[in-house]
Amino acid sequence: GTYILSGTLDNGSIIVDVDKEDKVQLVLSGVTINSDTFAAIYVRQADKVFVTLDEGTENILSNSGTFSQIDDNEVDVAIFSKDDITVNGKGTLKIYSAAGAGLSGKDEVTITGGVIEIEAAKHAIRAKDSLAIADGSFTLVSDNDGLHAENGDDDSLGNIYITGGDFN
């Protein structure tokens, strides 16, 4: 389904947990989500999740600096997806992660648009299988890599593809 998120969640998380065949679209339309102890957005299970940045809106996702695990996934990131995740749209997404990564996916991470600003203690954007960027404006500040893809189980995966975008 499609879910439009707006307003403020001071200490909590949005958790997507649907059937493995289901696609979910989260439309960020002027939302601020902070989690003191976990990811602001966590995709536990889905076929694919689309995070759409509503045009003309500023969206802020953050973690305050600690991560308490809620299942067997090691989540140390402001936005974490166990499955494929795509960020698109024409709005702005600001991510702050004081002790972890900014945006991370265990499968494919795809970005096709938006203004993305990330400040992270670890990697700004990381993927396990692949990271593909087609467009967008990126300002990435991290203590590790700005863009990182690595798959220790399969040497044919862990690739980064960039066909467009502006990067700082």
Side-chain angles (χ1 to χ4, degrees):
T2 299
Y3 302 88
I4 300 171
L5 306 176
S6 62
T8 300
L9 178 58
D10 285 326
N11 184 21
S13 300
I14 302 298
I15 299 175
V16 176
D17 191 2
V18 297
D19 287 338
K20 190 71 175 154
E21 298 80 31
D22 289 345
K23 292 174 179 44
V24 173
Q25 180 180 20
L26 300 176
V27 179
L28 304 186
S29 185
V31 69
T32 298
I33 302 171
N34 177 68
S35 175
D36 289 344
T37 60
F38 198 63
I41 296 178
Y42 173 44
V43 179
R44 181 178 289 161
Q45 180 175 289
D47 175 39
K48 183 174 281 209
V49 171
F50 299 89
V51 176
T52 301
L53 308 174
D54 198 9
E55 186 171 3
T57 66
E58 179 178 273
N59 304 282
I60 301 169
L61 306 175
S62 60
N63 169 272
S64 298
T66 62
F67 293 94
S68 299
Q69 302 310 314
I70 64 171
D71 57 21
D72 60 347
N73 291 304
E74 187 174 327
V75 177
D76 64 345
V77 62
I79 302 177
F80 178 83
S81 180
K82 190 172 175 191
D83 297 301
D84 294 346
I85 187 166
T86 297
V87 177
N88 61 27
K90 296 184 179 187
T92 298
L93 176 60
K94 295 182 177 185
I95 299 173
Y96 303 99
S97 186
L103 166 64
S104 181
K106 283 192 131 183
D107 287 344
E108 296 176 5
V109 175
T110 304
I111 302 173
T112 63
V115 176
I116 314 290
E117 299 176 10
I118 299 176
E119 291 182 25
K122 295 185 179 178
H123 304 300
I125 302 172
R126 73 176 180 214
K128 184 173 181 184
D129 288 352
S130 69
L131 171 57
I133 298 174
D135 198 8
S137 175
F138 299 84
T139 301
L140 308 175
V141 178
S142 65
D143 290 346
N144 290 61
D145 298 333
L147 304 175
H148 183 89
E150 182 177 0
N151 187 317
D153 302 325
D154 186 341
D155 290 340
S156 68
L157 299 173
N159 300 300
I160 298 176
Y161 307 96
I162 300 173
T163 61
D166 296 314
F167 295 87
N168 290 311

